[in-house]
Amino acid sequence: MSKGESGDSGMSIQTLENQVIIRNEKFIEKGKQLKPQLHETIVKPTSIVEIKADTEVIHGWRSEVAAPASTLANYKYGKNDSFILDFGDHQVGYLTINLRPAGSPPDAPLKLKLTIGEMPVEMAEPFENYNGWLSSSWLQEETIFVDVLPAVISLPRRYSFRYVKFEVIDTSPKYQVVFESVECKAVTSANLNAVEKISHQDAELQRMDEISIKTLADCMQDVFEDGPKRDRRLWLGDLRLQALANYETFRDNELVKRCLYLFAGVPDEKGNVSANVFVAPKLIADDTYFFDYSLFFAASLHDYYFATSDLETLKELWPTAYRQVELALERLGENNILKDSDNSWSFIDWVEGLNKQAPSQGVLIYTMKQAIRLAEELNIPEKNNLEERLEEIIEATKTHLWDQEQQFFISGSDHQISWASQIWMVLAGVLTKEENSKLMKRLLKEKPTVGIATPYMYHHLIEALLVSGEKELAIAEMKSYWGGMIQDGADTFWELYDPKNKDFSPYGSHLINSYCHAWSCTPTYLIRKYNL
Ligand code: RAM
């Protein structure tokens, strides 16, 4: 049974009361064996900064250098004093603070508050005011009591940040503290030396490539995390895009393999793989299932196989991939069109009011084609069944979802025309290349109101333009979107970005957004794969 609690965006949180998981210990063990080593680097802050209100910049807050970080130990801090350190770039890691007292012997503990953030806004807007629908516990902060000084404090939690605010809540009237040093032990499982450097003649694309790689590296931990600040876990939709970017850069194929085995290790009783898994305290499938994300298991296996030619893994994981397609086909009505229901059965994008029917039908066709390619490699009879079904489904899609008069795909009982529907139908190759190109141009010109909310869906827009042969348009869109993020100060690419509404968050507050997010890392894939 499934219950839902609605968030602001109309998507609902899924909770299942009687989720049954069939653990495949062999797969789980394989996933475990592939656990990566983390590489550690010590990073020091670059500056002491002040955060200034500025209506011209994103979120209304700008960081301004006040002094080099090397001068930190020149200052003494007492009750109600504070300062902010800038580490110069995005970091994922563990903080160590080296402190000594100044003045009389410390006659009371030091009470210190830390606020750790990826963006200036996190330093400026109090977390107490946060009222979004995701847990406030994702906001990174600590209150520490230090009984004995001098002290070296190594904080146990891993943070994702560029800025750290130190607020001395109290020392005592008799002493102050000096921060001798602060450093971060940055961690990643990515091997930066494995990436082939490119020097693009277009500086903007070069910068986009570099930031994408940094974004991907910071998300590459024990697994491909979606965001090292939030949700810090393995999501299938994110994995698919990370893996594609990885094949063009780090080529850490073992990490992709590990993630595939982890998903395949914990299906439900029907064989459905969940939208995301937790890896601690042990491998646990979340009780969230999305139509599109489950199918992306097949897509991710397809991409993995064609990147690695690892036939053994393909053979072992094929039944899981095929099962996702079988289950997806069960959702088709008699007319071979997916049954629509409330908004959260399929993810597609965070855009408000998006009907998921047509874009999901596109995802189904797209992944069926990939499954057929895999069946072909395996030389198995499933190929013919899939091909027959595919033909009927494409036929039905053209008959029921293509609106001849409006020249757009429509979705749901309200015949919604969304960007997502056109994009997924183009990626699915329902129409010819020429028709796709016309459709994409019409989309960019007419700009239907149900648009795009995430870099995730933007990735698909760019790829849809590329497969329709519209390279110039793809580059222009990439530059205005990811380029816009860079202009707005991105060190790593963000989970959400709406150039027209830069405070946008589907969670009710931009404070909880993730500013280093897996699904935003794909410009490097697009640039390298399509020779942009
Ligand atoms: C959010 C995260 C995650 C994504 C899901 C569907 O919670 O951004 O990356 O995959 O949505």
Side-chain angles (χ1 to χ4, degrees), residues 1-3 15-19:
M1 194 175 91
S2 154
K3 287 193 306 184
T15 48
L16 293 180
E17 273 164 11
N18 40 13
Q19 182 193 26

Side-chain angles (χ1 to χ4, degrees), residues 11 134 226-227 230-231 233 235-238 275 290 293 347 350 456 495-496 507 514 517-519:
M11 280 287 274
L134 288 185
D226 65 329
R230 204 216 82 240
D231 310 320
R233 76 187 69 130
W235 283 88
L236 243 170
D238 301 70
F290 290 140
Y293 275 32
F347 173 65
W350 276 119
Y456 172 76
E495 175 189 20
L496 287 316
Y507 315 119
S514 153
H517 213 72
W519 67 20

Side-chain angles (χ1 to χ4, degrees), residues 149-364:
L149 289 160
V152 177
I153 305 160
S154 290
L155 296 165
R157 298 189 70 209
R158 199 197 70 194
Y159 303 108
S160 181
F161 68 100
R162 172 167 170 174
Y163 304 98
V164 185
K165 179 159 78 180
F166 294 76
E167 290 173 278
V168 176
I169 308 294
D170 217 337
T171 46
S172 93
K174 295 186 66 177
Y175 83 100
Q176 295 173 302
V177 279
V178 173
F179 292 81
E180 291 280 5
S181 69
V182 179
E183 61 183 39
C184 167
K185 183 176 77 189
V187 289
T188 173
S189 57
N191 175 7
L192 292 161
N193 298 326
V195 182
E196 196 186 311
K197 298 259 177 313
I198 56 165
S199 47
H200 208 291
Q201 65 222 34
D202 184 326
E204 215 180 333
L205 292 183
Q206 173 74 23
R207 186 75 191 115
M208 239 178 253
D209 183 67
E210 287 162 9
I211 298 183
S212 302
I213 292 169
K214 169 75 172 147
T215 306
L216 178 58
D218 283 2
C219 294
M220 283 169 74
Q221 301 292 336
D222 207 59
V223 291
F224 281 102
E225 288 183 15
D226 65 329
K229 167 178 145 184
R230 204 216 82 240
D231 310 320
R232 300 176 60 153
R233 76 187 69 130
L234 173 59
W235 283 88
L236 243 170
D238 301 70
L239 169 66
R240 171 174 155 261
L241 298 192
Q242 283 170 300
L244 288 174
N246 169 68
Y247 302 135
E248 301 298 324
T249 54
F250 297 106
R251 300 199 170 89
D252 186 350
N253 300 337
E254 297 289 279
L255 190 62
V256 182
K257 183 171 169 183
R258 162 168 158 83
C259 294
L260 290 172
Y261 273 100
L262 294 180
F263 276 113
V266 281
D268 72 3
E269 80 272 36
K270 285 193 185 151
N272 210 347
V273 295
S274 67
N276 70 90
V277 296
F278 305 91
V279 288
K282 60 171 189 172
L283 180 64
I284 298 169
D286 191 15
D287 55 352
T288 299
Y289 293 85
F290 290 140
F291 177 87
D292 49 349
Y293 275 32
S294 297
L295 279 173
F296 288 146
F297 182 88
S300 303
L301 182 62
H302 167 274
D303 300 338
Y304 171 81
Y305 174 72
F306 286 102
T308 61
S309 309
D310 178 355
L311 190 60
E312 195 191 316
T313 299
L314 172 60
K315 279 187 183 155
E316 207 157 44
L317 295 183
W318 164 258
T320 309
Y322 184 58
R323 187 69 192 130
Q324 307 317 304
V325 179
E326 281 184 325
L327 287 167
L329 292 173
E330 284 178 14
R331 207 189 157 95
L332 289 168
E334 274 170 27
N335 57 359
N336 278 323
I337 298 296
L338 289 170
K339 289 181 202 136
D340 199 14
S341 59
D342 81 13
N343 232 1
S344 60
W345 61 279
S346 192
F347 173 65
I348 306 291
D349 192 23
W350 276 119
V351 75
E352 228 173 293
L354 176 67
N355 183 279
K356 310 291 172 72
Q357 185 190 45
S360 302
Q361 183 96 3
V363 171
L364 174 63

